[in-house]
Amino acid sequence: MNEKELLQQLADEMDAFPSWDPVQLNADGTLVLTIDMNKGFTQSGALSSPRVKAILPRMREFLETCREKGLYMAAVTDCHTPESLELASYPVHCLDDSDEPELAPEIWEFQQKVLIKNSTNAFFAPGMDRLLEGVSTVVLVGCCTDICIEQFALTLKAWANQADSPLNVIVPRQLVETYDAPGHPAELWNGLALHTLAANGVSVVNYLPAK
């Protein structure tokens, strides 16, 4: 199978994901978690991406609906020092003495709590264990689909499965995005990540609000 055929197969698979509207969510036990929608990934900096920035209007609409529903919303944002080991693998980004770790202005007002992470996997962010207490549904939005979203969602499902806890992890595919770069075609990596999530028990859905 060549890349064009694989992309078409992934597109068909994603179109077949169930339609979903956040009005279906129950405020009791639901956490809406935004990952890395900060200035460093949406506005400026070595890892800023126009593809990620482009989902901000739709994300704001989604978070407004969540607020109307009384859902608890929190965010996680990258924040590094120059000595952070992650910077050996990625370009320097989201340093703590810059404005890059700050949430994008389109979405900051909705967040009732903001956690700081020093790795790609938000599961290990200080305070995440307390944030997940009593939670039965987690809705994940943000970036990047094939890095931070994928790592957190798979770790979360594995953690819940270990405890035989029926945790529902939802990823609306129109509310996650990844970057485009040489050797990293966004459409391909986005589709592969969503395929992997769905194959591992994550509820990948098509965000199609009724309004």
Short mmCIF file of all heavy atoms in Angstrom, two decimals, residues 18 29 39 58-59 64 86 90 95 112 125 134 142 171 175 178-179:
data_model
loop_
_atom_site.label_atom_id
_atom_site.label_comp_id
_atom_site.label_asym_id
_atom_site.label_seq_id
_atom_site.Cartn_x
_atom_site.Cartn_y
_atom_site.Cartn_z
N PRO A 18 -18.03 7.64 15.15
CA PRO A 18 -19.36 8.14 15.48
C PRO A 18 -19.41 9.65 15.65
O PRO A 18 -18.43 10.27 16.07
CB PRO A 18 -19.68 7.42 16.80
CG PRO A 18 -18.36 7.03 17.36
CD PRO A 18 -17.47 6.76 16.20
N GLY A 29 -18.48 13.78 37.09
CA GLY A 29 -17.44 12.81 36.73
C GLY A 29 -16.75 13.07 35.41
O GLY A 29 -15.96 12.24 34.96
N LYS A 39 0.84 29.56 23.71
CA LYS A 39 1.39 30.48 22.71
C LYS A 39 2.54 29.86 21.94
O LYS A 39 2.75 30.15 20.76
CB LYS A 39 1.83 31.77 23.40
CG LYS A 39 0.68 32.60 23.96
CD LYS A 39 1.17 33.88 24.61
CE LYS A 39 0.01 34.71 25.14
NZ LYS A 39 0.48 35.96 25.80
N ARG A 58 -12.71 26.66 16.63
CA ARG A 58 -13.60 25.53 16.90
C ARG A 58 -13.47 25.08 18.36
O ARG A 58 -14.46 24.72 19.01
CB ARG A 58 -13.27 24.37 15.96
CG ARG A 58 -14.25 23.20 16.07
CD ARG A 58 -13.84 22.05 15.15
NE ARG A 58 -13.88 22.45 13.76
CZ ARG A 58 -12.83 22.39 12.95
NH1 ARG A 58 -11.66 21.98 13.39
NH2 ARG A 58 -12.94 22.75 11.69
N MET A 59 -12.25 25.13 18.89
CA MET A 59 -12.04 24.74 20.28
C MET A 59 -12.73 25.71 21.23
O MET A 59 -13.32 25.30 22.23
CB MET A 59 -10.55 24.65 20.59
CG MET A 59 -10.24 24.15 21.99
SD MET A 59 -8.48 23.88 22.24
CE MET A 59 -8.19 22.49 21.15
N GLU A 64 -16.97 26.77 25.11
CA GLU A 64 -18.14 27.56 25.51
C GLU A 64 -19.32 26.65 25.82
O GLU A 64 -20.05 26.84 26.80
CB GLU A 64 -18.51 28.55 24.41
CG GLU A 64 -17.57 29.74 24.32
CD GLU A 64 -17.88 30.66 23.15
OE1 GLU A 64 -18.59 30.22 22.21
OE2 GLU A 64 -17.42 31.82 23.17
N GLU A 86 14.09 16.98 27.82
CA GLU A 86 13.28 16.87 26.60
C GLU A 86 13.87 17.69 25.45
O GLU A 86 13.70 17.35 24.27
CB GLU A 86 11.84 17.32 26.87
CG GLU A 86 10.92 17.17 25.66
CD GLU A 86 9.54 17.71 25.91
OE1 GLU A 86 8.84 17.17 26.80
OE2 GLU A 86 9.14 18.67 25.22
N TYR A 90 13.85 17.66 21.08
CA TYR A 90 13.03 18.63 20.34
C TYR A 90 13.72 19.99 20.36
O TYR A 90 14.51 20.28 21.26
CB TYR A 90 11.64 18.76 20.99
CG TYR A 90 10.83 17.50 20.95
CD1 TYR A 90 10.83 16.60 22.02
CD2 TYR A 90 10.04 17.20 19.85
CE1 TYR A 90 10.07 15.44 21.99
CE2 TYR A 90 9.27 16.04 19.80
CZ TYR A 90 9.30 15.16 20.88
OH TYR A 90 8.54 14.01 20.83
N LEU A 95 10.11 27.84 27.10
CA LEU A 95 10.96 28.08 28.26
C LEU A 95 10.21 28.89 29.31
O LEU A 95 9.37 29.74 29.00
CB LEU A 95 12.23 28.83 27.84
CG LEU A 95 13.21 28.04 26.97
CD1 LEU A 95 14.40 28.90 26.61
CD2 LEU A 95 13.67 26.75 27.65
N GLN A 112 -10.34 26.02 34.57
CA GLN A 112 -10.48 26.17 36.02
C GLN A 112 -9.21 25.77 36.76
O GLN A 112 -9.05 26.09 37.93
CB GLN A 112 -11.68 25.34 36.49
CG GLN A 112 -13.00 25.89 35.96
CD GLN A 112 -14.11 24.87 35.92
OE1 GLN A 112 -14.29 24.16 34.94
NE2 GLN A 112 -14.88 24.78 37.00
N ALA A 125 2.38 14.97 34.87
CA ALA A 125 2.42 16.36 35.34
C ALA A 125 2.04 16.41 36.81
O ALA A 125 1.07 15.75 37.24
CB ALA A 125 1.47 17.22 34.53
N GLY A 134 -12.03 10.68 41.05
CA GLY A 134 -13.49 10.69 40.87
C GLY A 134 -13.94 10.91 39.44
O GLY A 134 -15.15 11.06 39.19
N GLY A 142 -6.51 19.27 21.87
CA GLY A 142 -5.24 19.98 21.86
C GLY A 142 -4.24 19.41 20.87
O GLY A 142 -4.59 18.89 19.81
N VAL A 171 -11.65 11.40 22.39
CA VAL A 171 -10.83 12.33 21.59
C VAL A 171 -11.64 12.75 20.37
O VAL A 171 -11.81 11.97 19.43
CB VAL A 171 -9.50 11.68 21.15
CG1 VAL A 171 -8.72 12.62 20.21
CG2 VAL A 171 -8.64 11.34 22.37
N LEU A 175 -10.81 18.39 17.11
CA LEU A 175 -10.28 19.25 18.17
C LEU A 175 -8.87 18.86 18.59
O LEU A 175 -8.39 19.26 19.65
CB LEU A 175 -11.22 19.23 19.37
CG LEU A 175 -12.64 19.75 19.10
CD1 LEU A 175 -13.53 19.56 20.33
CD2 LEU A 175 -12.61 21.22 18.69
N THR A 178 -1.83 18.11 14.65
CA THR A 178 -0.39 17.99 14.73
C THR A 178 0.25 18.92 13.71
O THR A 178 -0.44 19.59 12.93
CB THR A 178 0.08 16.54 14.54
OG1 THR A 178 1.45 16.42 14.94
CG2 THR A 178 -0.08 16.07 13.11
N TYR A 179 1.55 18.97 13.71
CA TYR A 179 2.29 19.92 12.87
C TYR A 179 2.75 19.27 11.56
O TYR A 179 2.85 18.05 11.46
CB TYR A 179 3.51 20.46 13.62
CG TYR A 179 4.53 19.39 13.96
CD1 TYR A 179 5.62 19.14 13.15
CD2 TYR A 179 4.39 18.62 15.12
CE1 TYR A 179 6.54 18.16 13.46
CE2 TYR A 179 5.30 17.64 15.45
CZ TYR A 179 6.37 17.41 14.62
OH TYR A 179 7.28 16.42 14.93
#
